[in-house]
Amino acid sequence: MPSYYVCKCFFTKNIFLRKYKLHVSFESERKFRKEYREILYDRGCISDISFQEVLSEIESEITRRRVSGKLFMESKALTEGNYRKLHPDIFILKEDYLTPEFLQIVSQCKNSKNSTYVHLLKSIRDHGERIYSFSVFTLEFCQLLLEELVHYEKADIPKQRPNTMNRYGILLDVLGFDSFLEALRESYLLPLSRLLYPEWVEGGLDSHKTFTVKYNMQGDRELNYHFDNAEVTLNVCLGREFSGGDLKFGKMWTMPCPKEEMICIEHRVGWGILHRGRHMHLAESLENGERENMIIWMRSSTIRNEQCPLCQERPHLVPFEGFGDGFT
């Protein structure tokens, strides 16, 4: 396994303040006050006490990031040694778990020398702005995976959450799905991504970060406008009973997009939504019920070694355990 890194901006940029629905950067308290004090005031952070709470929250998040690689490896080892799987068979990818429609799409990408973007669009849904959807997992597999996730949550094992935007998700590599996800990425999603996003898949997609997100009326109900730390993202709805919570897309990165021009996509169980990671998007508020999704952030070290998606500069690399942020 090659050595992976993070860009040093990982410790200073894209810090999410949930209460104020704001992503911030933090290099020093003095600079932060100058850049964000007025913005935070307008969002309800009025008192000095509230502002100090923000600073404490940022300090806590930076500390978490600095040890997250080590915690990832420790949590993975602890899970491997102590977790008793409910459905052991689903931890190895089998084509029985994938829908015939998805297998046909991938076969077309891999085996037909004449396969083109136009031909592929006959088999998938094109939502515009290079956003696509198609069936991926069978309903039976989705149900088995949901049961496994519930079983894992009940296990007396410390759990590391994906990030501060998703408080109730599960890191699937920690749970033991590494070989499953590597096979899915390399053998199925890479051929598809090469055809749809060739400029983002130069050199392949050689790492990933995969996690679940959970929305319900008691916990997280929505997700703020953001882009992913990925070259290509697949978002698959695993199910449960729900209404609302549609995915909405704006423009790439910081390009403005009026709300009326945003692309709205409804979640369907077993279906995946494929998009460029740096395409801005949000999840609307869940109206009722509960929904759980699998998020696969696929990364190309060739692309991100030239430009970090967070600071948009050539990365200043810092050694990190595990896959880091996909830099090599």
Side-chain angles (χ1 to χ4, degrees):
M1 178 178 174
S3 297
Y4 286 94
Y5 302 81
V6 296
C7 177
K8 71 174 185 178
C9 76
F10 175 66
F11 306 112
T12 60
K13 292 192 178 294
N14 211 40
I15 298 169
F16 183 61
L17 303 177
R18 175 175 296 276
K19 183 176 180 179
Y20 303 104
K21 298 183 178 180
L22 182 67
H23 284 91
V24 300
S25 298
F26 185 92
E27 295 178 7
S28 70
E29 182 176 338
R30 181 179 180 180
K31 186 175 181 181
F32 183 78
R33 283 181 179 275
K34 182 178 179 180
E35 292 181 350
Y36 293 105
R37 187 65 185 97
E38 186 175 337
I39 296 172
L40 285 165
Y41 187 92
D42 291 340
R43 296 190 178 212
C45 182
I46 297 173
S47 68
D48 289 339
I49 294 176
S50 295
F51 190 75
Q52 286 301 319
E53 289 174 350
V54 166
L55 293 176
S56 296
E57 181 180 348
I58 291 172
E59 181 182 3
S60 176
E61 171 59 11
I62 291 173
T63 300
R64 184 197 70 81
R65 292 187 184 193
R66 291 193 181 282
V67 300
S68 59
K70 180 182 179 182
L71 291 177
F72 174 89
M73 301 304 291
E74 291 177 351
S75 182
K76 183 171 175 54
L78 191 62
T79 300
E80 288 175 352
N82 296 278
Y83 178 63
R84 185 172 181 178
K85 298 171 182 175
L86 180 64
H87 300 301
D89 288 349
I90 69 170
F91 285 76
I92 301 298
L93 181 61
K94 301 174 184 177
E95 291 202 336
D96 289 348
Y97 302 151
L98 305 173
T99 66
E101 294 81 7
F102 180 63
L103 292 173
Q104 184 178 16
I105 290 169
V106 174
S107 177
Q108 183 180 358
C109 294
K110 293 167 70 171
N111 301 323
S112 175
K113 294 181 180 179
N114 298 319
S115 181
T116 65
Y117 169 79
V118 174
H119 288 122
L120 188 61
L121 289 185
K122 297 178 180 178
S123 306
I124 64 178
R125 293 192 178 184
D126 182 357
H127 299 274
E129 296 290 337
R130 302 178 74 184
I131 307 163
Y132 309 97
S133 66
F134 41 85
S135 64
V136 179
F137 295 128
T138 65
L139 298 181
E140 292 76 14
F141 172 77
C142 290
Q143 181 59 37
L144 290 173
L145 180 54
L146 287 174
E147 291 173 4
E148 190 72 44
L149 295 175
V150 170
H151 182 65
Y152 177 64
E153 284 287 7
K154 293 178 180 178
D156 187 20
I157 300 172
K159 297 170 182 70
Q160 194 180 2
R161 301 305 178 183
N163 50 60
T164 52
M165 293 190 76
N166 307 109
R167 295 177 294 174
Y168 305 100
I170 292 171
L171 290 164
L172 290 181
D173 285 283
V174 168
L175 183 50
F177 280 92
D178 357 17
S179 61
F180 179 108
L181 295 165
E182 185 173 346
L184 181 64
R185 186 189 80 232
E186 288 289 333
S187 299
Y188 299 89
L189 299 176
L190 178 56
L192 180 57
S193 299
R194 273 202 172 113
L195 193 59
L196 295 175
Y197 311 112
E199 75 277 25
W200 292 102
V201 189
E202 184 181 345
L205 295 169
D206 51 351
S207 70
H208 64 261
K209 178 177 181 177
T210 303
F211 53 94
T212 63
V213 293
K214 182 191 293 185
Y215 299 95
N216 57 42
M217 307 308 288
Q218 293 75 41
D220 293 338
R221 296 181 60 178
E222 61 188 9
L223 192 63
N224 261 46
Y225 201 46
H226 69 285
F227 64 86
D228 299 336
N229 188 356
E231 274 60 72
V232 180
T233 295
L234 181 69
N235 181 334
V236 185
C237 178
L238 299 176
R240 304 203 192 282
E241 298 292 328
F242 64 91
S243 63
D246 294 346
L247 204 57
K248 279 195 167 184
F249 288 87
K251 302 293 184 182
M252 289 292 283
W253 266 334
T254 56
M255 293 175 61
C257 181
K259 287 187 177 181
E260 62 272 14
E261 294 182 13
M262 296 182 77
I263 296 170
C264 183
I265 304 176
E266 185 178 345
H267 290 283
R268 297 179 60 183
V269 178
W271 278 60
I273 300 170
L274 191 73
H275 61 89
R276 293 164 291 175
R278 300 174 208 189
H279 200 147
M280 298 292 292
H281 57 285
L282 59 84
E284 289 194 308
S285 183
L286 198 71
E287 294 174 359
N288 59 65
E290 182 177 58
R291 189 185 81 245
E292 203 148 356
N293 287 48
M294 175 194 292
I295 311 296
I296 308 176
W297 285 357
M298 294 174 281
R299 293 158 166 172
S300 166
S301 60
T302 303
I303 297 296
R304 58 185 43 228
N305 284 351
E306 294 298 318
Q307 184 186 48
C308 170
L310 297 185
C311 64
Q312 301 182 32
E313 298 175 359
R314 190 171 183 85
H316 294 78
L317 300 181
V318 178
F320 215 68
E321 296 189 60
F323 279 130
D325 265 352
F327 301 96
T328 56

